[in-house]
Amino acid sequence: MQLDQTRIAIRERSFGEILGLALQVTRAGAGWIVLLWLLGVTGFAVLNWLLLDGVLVEEIDTEEPPVGYWMLMILLVAIETPFATAPITMYLGKMMFNAPFHFRTMTVEFVRSLPQLLLFQGILRTIMMAILFLPYWLMPYVGELILLERNPLFSGKHRRLTTNRRSRNLHSNSGGELFGRWLLATGVGAVLTVAIGYGIEELLMQIGGVEITELLRHRFIYPFALWLVVGWMAVVRFLAYLDLRIRREGWEVELLMRAEAARLRRGSSLVNA
């Protein structure tokens, strides 16, 4: 793996540039991204349908807008997103450096990361969601830290950098910028979900001749559109995580230094041989 030869140019970007780059990255890795999206999302989508279908039917029978159904749906999707999009994040970490991606290796690494994901992204993040959506703009990239940097939960006798300390180091003093980006991402995601859902409705009606009922619309079409946007937003979040590292830590310089150190080590080993 060549640390100074990346598929994405390492430089600071605005949020608009990140959105545009996310489209290009999605297109470049479409095969794996779609496959991993299906792998991560399908189980949660079925679970949400089983949990909420009764609520939807009851609200539609009363001829009321299914507001309660969608509030519960959005809450569940928000909780499930870090786990559903974890495979995409891990793939992007490999794709970034043109490293080979193996499904079996990804599975092993995901299982190793699962305890911290459950703790930080499952338990603590869900608790904090009740407090002004704090995890979204105070520590939005904990999932990337867990999956890509793989710091330990405890420092141990060697005083290693833990995930909690690494998160504080990365996210500190960036609350305003992160909050602004979260608002933009939320707005873009909402607009895309509605647009994609409406587009699917038009395709089904105009090409397939399907009658769009309220049950079909809220049970399948718009949840599918929502999960599509969640998958693409995983790419946006990965790129935003890289951008924050570049802005806060001079990551491009670090990569160049690590690559040069690796070349020096290889040269030294050849001389010694």
Side-chain angles (χ1 to χ4, degrees), residues 122-145:
I123 299 173
L124 296 179
R125 180 173 172 274
T126 301
I127 293 173
M128 291 179 66
M129 281 175 60
I131 311 173
L132 298 177
F133 295 96
L134 284 179
Y136 291 100
W137 59 280
L138 286 185
M139 52 173 201
Y141 307 121
V142 172
E144 283 70 22
L145 295 177

CSV table of all heavy atoms in Angstrom, one decimal, residues 122-145:
chain,number,residue,atom,x,y,z
A,122,GLY,N,-23.9,2.5,19.4
A,122,GLY,CA,-25.1,1.9,19.8
A,122,GLY,C,-25.7,2.5,21.1
A,122,GLY,O,-26.7,3.1,21.1
A,123,ILE,N,-24.9,2.3,22.2
A,123,ILE,CA,-25.5,2.7,23.5
A,123,ILE,C,-25.3,4.2,23.7
A,123,ILE,O,-26.2,5.0,23.9
A,123,ILE,CB,-24.8,1.9,24.6
A,123,ILE,CG1,-25.0,0.4,24.4
A,123,ILE,CG2,-25.2,2.4,26.0
A,123,ILE,CD1,-24.3,-0.5,25.3
A,124,LEU,N,-24.0,4.7,23.7
A,124,LEU,CA,-23.7,6.1,24.1
A,124,LEU,C,-24.4,7.1,23.1
A,124,LEU,O,-24.9,8.1,23.5
A,124,LEU,CB,-22.2,6.3,24.2
A,124,LEU,CG,-21.5,5.6,25.3
A,124,LEU,CD1,-20.0,5.9,25.3
A,124,LEU,CD2,-22.1,5.9,26.7
A,125,ARG,N,-24.2,6.7,21.8
A,125,ARG,CA,-24.8,7.6,20.8
A,125,ARG,C,-26.3,7.7,20.9
A,125,ARG,O,-26.9,8.8,20.7
A,125,ARG,CB,-24.4,7.1,19.4
A,125,ARG,CG,-24.9,8.0,18.2
A,125,ARG,CD,-24.2,7.4,17.0
A,125,ARG,NE,-24.7,8.0,15.8
A,125,ARG,CZ,-25.8,7.5,15.1
A,125,ARG,NH1,-26.4,6.5,15.6
A,125,ARG,NH2,-26.2,8.1,14.0
A,126,THR,N,-27.0,6.6,21.1
A,126,THR,CA,-28.4,6.6,21.2
A,126,THR,C,-28.9,7.4,22.4
A,126,THR,O,-29.8,8.2,22.3
A,126,THR,CB,-29.0,5.2,21.4
A,126,THR,OG1,-28.6,4.4,20.2
A,126,THR,CG2,-30.5,5.2,21.5
A,127,ILE,N,-28.1,7.3,23.5
A,127,ILE,CA,-28.5,8.1,24.7
A,127,ILE,C,-28.3,9.6,24.4
A,127,ILE,O,-29.1,10.5,24.7
A,127,ILE,CB,-27.6,7.7,25.9
A,127,ILE,CG1,-27.9,6.3,26.4
A,127,ILE,CG2,-27.7,8.7,27.1
A,127,ILE,CD1,-27.0,5.8,27.4
A,128,MET,N,-27.2,10.0,23.7
A,128,MET,CA,-26.9,11.4,23.4
A,128,MET,C,-27.9,12.0,22.4
A,128,MET,O,-28.0,13.2,22.3
A,128,MET,CB,-25.5,11.5,22.9
A,128,MET,CG,-24.4,11.3,24.0
A,128,MET,SD,-22.8,11.4,23.4
A,128,MET,CE,-22.7,13.2,23.0
A,129,MET,N,-28.5,11.1,21.6
A,129,MET,CA,-29.4,11.6,20.6
A,129,MET,C,-30.6,12.3,21.2
A,129,MET,O,-31.2,13.2,20.5
A,129,MET,CB,-29.9,10.4,19.7
A,129,MET,CG,-29.0,10.0,18.6
A,129,MET,SD,-29.6,8.5,17.8
A,129,MET,CE,-31.1,9.2,17.1
A,130,ALA,N,-30.9,12.0,22.4
A,130,ALA,CA,-32.0,12.7,23.1
A,130,ALA,C,-31.6,14.1,23.6
A,130,ALA,O,-32.5,14.9,24.0
A,130,ALA,CB,-32.4,11.9,24.3
A,131,ILE,N,-30.3,14.5,23.4
A,131,ILE,CA,-29.8,15.8,23.9
A,131,ILE,C,-29.4,16.6,22.7
A,131,ILE,O,-28.2,16.7,22.3
A,131,ILE,CB,-28.7,15.6,24.9
A,131,ILE,CG1,-29.0,14.6,26.0
A,131,ILE,CG2,-28.3,16.9,25.5
A,131,ILE,CD1,-27.8,14.2,26.9
A,132,LEU,N,-30.4,17.2,22.0
A,132,LEU,CA,-30.1,18.1,20.9
A,132,LEU,C,-29.2,17.5,19.8
A,132,LEU,O,-28.5,18.2,19.2
A,132,LEU,CB,-29.4,19.4,21.4
A,132,LEU,CG,-30.2,20.2,22.4
A,132,LEU,CD1,-29.3,21.4,22.9
A,132,LEU,CD2,-31.5,20.7,21.8
A,133,PHE,N,-29.4,16.1,19.6
A,133,PHE,CA,-28.7,15.5,18.5
A,133,PHE,C,-27.2,15.7,18.7
A,133,PHE,O,-26.5,15.8,17.7
A,133,PHE,CB,-29.1,15.9,17.1
A,133,PHE,CG,-30.6,15.5,16.9
A,133,PHE,CD1,-31.6,16.4,17.1
A,133,PHE,CD2,-30.9,14.3,16.4
A,133,PHE,CE1,-32.9,16.1,16.8
A,133,PHE,CE2,-32.2,13.9,16.1
A,133,PHE,CZ,-33.2,14.8,16.4
A,134,LEU,N,-26.7,15.7,19.9
A,134,LEU,CA,-25.2,16.0,20.1
A,134,LEU,C,-24.3,15.1,19.3
A,134,LEU,O,-23.3,15.7,18.8
A,134,LEU,CB,-24.9,15.9,21.6
A,134,LEU,CG,-25.4,17.0,22.5
A,134,LEU,CD1,-25.1,16.8,23.9
A,134,LEU,CD2,-24.8,18.3,22.0
A,135,PRO,N,-24.5,13.8,19.2
A,135,PRO,CA,-23.5,13.0,18.5
A,135,PRO,C,-23.2,13.5,17.0
A,135,PRO,O,-22.2,13.2,16.5
A,135,PRO,CB,-24.0,11.6,18.6
A,135,PRO,CG,-25.5,11.8,18.7
A,135,PRO,CD,-25.6,13.0,19.6
A,136,TYR,N,-24.2,14.1,16.4
A,136,TYR,CA,-24.1,14.5,15.0
A,136,TYR,C,-23.1,15.7,14.8
A,136,TYR,O,-22.6,15.8,13.7
A,136,TYR,CB,-25.4,14.8,14.4
A,136,TYR,CG,-26.3,13.6,14.3
A,136,TYR,CD1,-27.3,13.3,15.2
A,136,TYR,CD2,-26.1,12.6,13.3
A,136,TYR,CE1,-28.1,12.2,15.2
A,136,TYR,CE2,-26.9,11.5,13.2
A,136,TYR,CZ,-27.9,11.3,14.1
A,136,TYR,OH,-28.6,10.1,14.1
A,137,TRP,N,-23.0,16.5,15.8
A,137,TRP,CA,-22.1,17.7,15.5
A,137,TRP,C,-21.0,17.8,16.6
A,137,TRP,O,-20.1,18.7,16.4
A,137,TRP,CB,-22.9,18.9,15.4
A,137,TRP,CG,-23.7,19.3,16.6
A,137,TRP,CD1,-25.0,18.8,16.9
A,137,TRP,CD2,-23.4,20.3,17.6
A,137,TRP,NE1,-25.4,19.4,18.1
A,137,TRP,CE2,-24.5,20.4,18.5
A,137,TRP,CE3,-22.3,21.1,17.8
A,137,TRP,CZ2,-24.5,21.2,19.6
A,137,TRP,CZ3,-22.3,22.0,18.9
A,137,TRP,CH2,-23.4,22.0,19.8
A,138,LEU,N,-21.0,17.0,17.6
A,138,LEU,CA,-19.9,17.0,18.6
A,138,LEU,C,-18.9,15.9,18.3
A,138,LEU,O,-17.7,16.1,18.4
A,138,LEU,CB,-20.4,16.9,20.0
A,138,LEU,CG,-21.1,18.1,20.6
A,138,LEU,CD1,-21.4,17.9,22.0
A,138,LEU,CD2,-20.1,19.3,20.5
A,139,MET,N,-19.3,14.7,17.8
A,139,MET,CA,-18.4,13.6,17.5
A,139,MET,C,-19.0,12.8,16.3
A,139,MET,O,-19.3,11.6,16.5
A,139,MET,CB,-18.2,12.8,18.7
A,139,MET,CG,-19.4,12.3,19.4
A,139,MET,SD,-19.0,11.1,20.8
A,139,MET,CE,-20.6,10.3,20.9
A,140,PRO,N,-19.1,13.4,15.2
A,140,PRO,CA,-19.8,12.6,14.1
A,140,PRO,C,-19.0,11.5,13.5
A,140,PRO,O,-19.5,10.7,12.7
A,140,PRO,CB,-20.1,13.7,13.1
A,140,PRO,CG,-19.0,14.8,13.3
A,140,PRO,CD,-18.8,14.8,14.8
A,141,TYR,N,-17.6,11.5,13.7
A,141,TYR,CA,-16.8,10.6,13.0
A,141,TYR,C,-16.2,9.5,13.9
A,141,TYR,O,-15.2,8.9,13.6
A,141,TYR,CB,-15.6,11.4,12.3
A,141,TYR,CG,-16.1,12.5,11.4
A,141,TYR,CD1,-15.8,13.8,11.7
A,141,TYR,CD2,-17.1,12.2,10.4
A,141,TYR,CE1,-16.2,14.8,10.9
A,141,TYR,CE2,-17.5,13.3,9.6
A,141,TYR,CZ,-17.1,14.6,9.9
A,141,TYR,OH,-17.6,15.6,9.1
A,142,VAL,N,-16.9,9.2,15.0
A,142,VAL,CA,-16.4,8.1,15.9
A,142,VAL,C,-16.5,6.8,15.1
A,142,VAL,O,-15.6,6.0,15.3
A,142,VAL,CB,-17.3,8.1,17.1
A,142,VAL,CG1,-17.0,6.8,17.9
A,142,VAL,CG2,-17.1,9.3,18.0
A,143,GLY,N,-17.5,6.6,14.3
A,143,GLY,CA,-17.5,5.3,13.5
A,143,GLY,C,-16.3,5.1,12.6
A,143,GLY,O,-15.8,4.0,12.6
A,144,GLU,N,-15.9,6.2,12.0
A,144,GLU,CA,-14.7,6.1,11.1
A,144,GLU,C,-13.5,5.8,11.9
A,144,GLU,O,-12.6,5.1,11.5
A,144,GLU,CB,-14.6,7.4,10.3
A,144,GLU,CG,-15.5,7.6,9.1
A,144,GLU,CD,-17.0,7.8,9.5
A,144,GLU,OE1,-17.2,8.2,10.7
A,144,GLU,OE2,-17.9,7.5,8.7
A,145,LEU,N,-13.4,6.4,13.1
A,145,LEU,CA,-12.2,6.2,13.9
A,145,LEU,C,-12.2,4.7,14.4
A,145,LEU,O,-11.1,4.1,14.4
A,145,LEU,CB,-12.3,7.1,15.2
A,145,LEU,CG,-12.2,8.6,14.9
A,145,LEU,CD1,-12.3,9.4,16.2
A,145,LEU,CD2,-10.8,9.0,14.3
